[in-house]
Amino acid sequence: KILEENRNIDRKKLKEIVFEDKEKLKQLNAIIHPKVIDFYKKLKEKKNTDEIIVFDVPLLFESGIDKFCDKILVVISDYEIQLNRIVERDKIDRDLAEKIIKSQLSNEERIKKADVVIENNSSLEDLFEKVERFCETIWR
């Protein structure tokens, strides 16, 4: 049901299926999360002591990858902004976008687990500037 003619996954169809049925989302996560965890675990094991590795993981806490992190930076945005960005990025309706957001940890829960929080309610350029400032503190 989710494969296109070229055998690629139709991500929109997949989202529609898993965010309509919590059990199917649970099955998908049970397939994907262990593979992602294994990838990041191996990456961290191979790093040099002076090396800094940045994990860019949308479901960091939900997947358990946070256990391999020394510092956690969380990027948050207001609900409406987040909702509009998902609708625009994924070309989906608001109802599906709301289900996606509700399946994830809330901003409040993620903030509690973060070492650093960056607010992203503005432009992409503003976000890059904030992340750059954060990175400068790491490499000092």
Side-chain angles (χ1 to χ4, degrees), residues 47-55 71 73 116 118 128-140:
K47 88 175 189 88
N48 298 327
T49 53
D50 296 342
E51 211 173 21
I52 294 173
I53 300 174
V54 177
F55 295 166
K71 295 274 183 209
L73 165 70
V116 177
I118 290 181
F128 286 155
E129 193 176 302
K130 290 175 181 178
V131 171
E132 201 169 277
R133 272 188 260 137
F134 167 73
C135 290
E136 288 170 0
T137 66
I138 294 176
W139 282 286
R140 285 186 189 160

Side-chain angles (χ1 to χ4, degrees), residues 77-139:
S77 56
D78 292 343
Y79 180 81
E80 276 301 313
I81 292 171
Q82 185 181 10
L83 186 64
N84 291 332
R85 286 176 177 163
I86 293 171
V87 167
E88 187 176 318
R89 180 195 68 207
D90 296 349
K91 309 292 185 241
I92 58 175
D93 62 43
R94 282 179 69 88
D95 185 51
L96 181 55
E98 286 175 343
K99 289 176 182 171
I100 291 170
I101 293 170
K102 287 179 182 166
S103 75
Q104 301 171 356
L105 285 181
S106 69
N107 280 343
E108 292 76 22
E109 292 171 295
R110 293 185 312 132
I111 288 168
K112 286 178 192 172
K113 297 174 180 247
D115 296 301
V116 177
V117 178
I118 290 181
E119 178 244 51
N120 180 23
N121 289 323
S122 188
S123 67
L124 198 52
E125 292 78 21
D126 184 50
L127 174 63
F128 286 155
E129 193 176 302
K130 290 175 181 178
V131 171
E132 201 169 277
R133 272 188 260 137
F134 167 73
C135 290
E136 288 170 0
T137 66
I138 294 176
W139 282 286

Side-chain angles (χ1 to χ4, degrees), residues 13-29 96 99 103:
K13 281 184 189 171
L14 179 62
K15 286 176 188 166
E16 289 168 353
I17 292 168
V18 299
F19 291 107
E20 289 295 330
D21 183 337
K22 288 184 181 183
E23 193 54 42
K24 289 184 178 168
L25 178 59
K26 198 173 170 182
Q27 289 174 344
L28 178 64
N29 287 339
L96 181 55
K99 289 176 182 171
S103 75

